[in-house]
Amino acid sequence: GKHLYRTTDTTSTPFTIRGIAFPTPPEIYNPSTHGYNATTWLAILRQLRLPPKKKEVSPIQDSNSGNSSHPDIITETEAQNEGGLGLNFNTIRLYRMYPDQIDYSEFLEGAAALGIYVIVPLTSAFGHGVLDRTSPAPKCYHPHLFHYGAQALKKYL
């Protein structure tokens, strides 16, 4: 269907996904973290949701008249507080996670605090969680794939 359901102890309410893809943000690659940094990832989510800020104009003295302003110059405050993109989303889809190596709890809890649902992958880019894309189903499912997905579910449910 077109809805997922938000469930409490007594009710189940449908909601519509307004989602975006959230690939691993580019940063200095560290093999031990696979590019994961909860603080950076949450800052990116905040920036995607924040509304854009209106541009402030810094007055520049015109050598001819002495009192004009230049619309292409922004203040230092604006440069430091650019604002965000103002995207209206409630869900992100991650493409790569390594639940057998990294604890994503800080990011998942931070996303939940922002009201953002996270769709996590149950396959990996390498190792035991790789889906064999050269074989048709069911042969594409390596025996270790089930264990990888089960481990991800156990860790974060």
Side-chain angles (χ1 to χ4, degrees):
K2 66 179 184 175
H3 294 288
L4 291 181
Y5 289 85
R6 184 178 305 119
T7 304
T8 65
D9 291 336
T10 58
T11 62
S12 184
T13 309
F15 75 95
T16 301
I17 291 177
R18 291 183 315 275
I20 61 172
F22 193 78
T24 303
E27 59 183 60
I28 297 172
Y29 186 76
N30 178 341
S32 67
T33 65
H34 297 287
Y36 172 69
N37 179 318
T39 303
T40 301
W41 287 22
L42 291 169
I44 291 169
L45 287 182
R46 282 192 218 58
Q47 188 171 13
L48 291 171
R49 284 188 116 182
L50 281 175
K53 294 195 175 184
K54 293 183 179 180
K55 292 199 180 226
E56 299 173 24
V57 177
S58 176
I60 294 181
Q61 295 296 326
D62 184 338
S63 60
N64 296 329
S65 67
N67 60 6
S68 69
S69 64
H70 193 286
D72 295 331
I73 305 297
I74 60 174
T75 66
E76 185 175 319
T77 301
E78 183 187 356
Q80 293 172 355
N81 301 309
E82 276 293 315
L85 296 176
L87 299 180
N88 183 19
F89 65 96
N90 63 8
T91 307
I92 63 168
R93 181 191 188 280
L94 294 177
Y95 286 89
R96 291 188 179 170
M97 288 181 74
Y98 304 91
D100 53 341
Q101 300 170 23
I102 298 171
D103 182 4
Y104 294 90
S105 298
E106 182 181 354
F107 174 72
L108 295 172
E109 291 168 9
L114 293 170
I116 299 171
Y117 295 92
V118 179
I119 298 173
V120 300
L122 296 180
T123 60
S124 176
F126 64 88
H128 294 302
V130 175
L131 182 67
D132 180 2
R133 298 186 191 283
T134 62
S135 299
K139 292 180 181 179
C140 61
Y141 301 107
H142 189 276
H144 295 288
L145 184 61
F146 172 80
H147 299 291
Y148 176 88
Q151 186 175 15
L153 291 171
K154 284 180 190 177
K155 194 162 192 171
Y156 299 112
L157 286 183

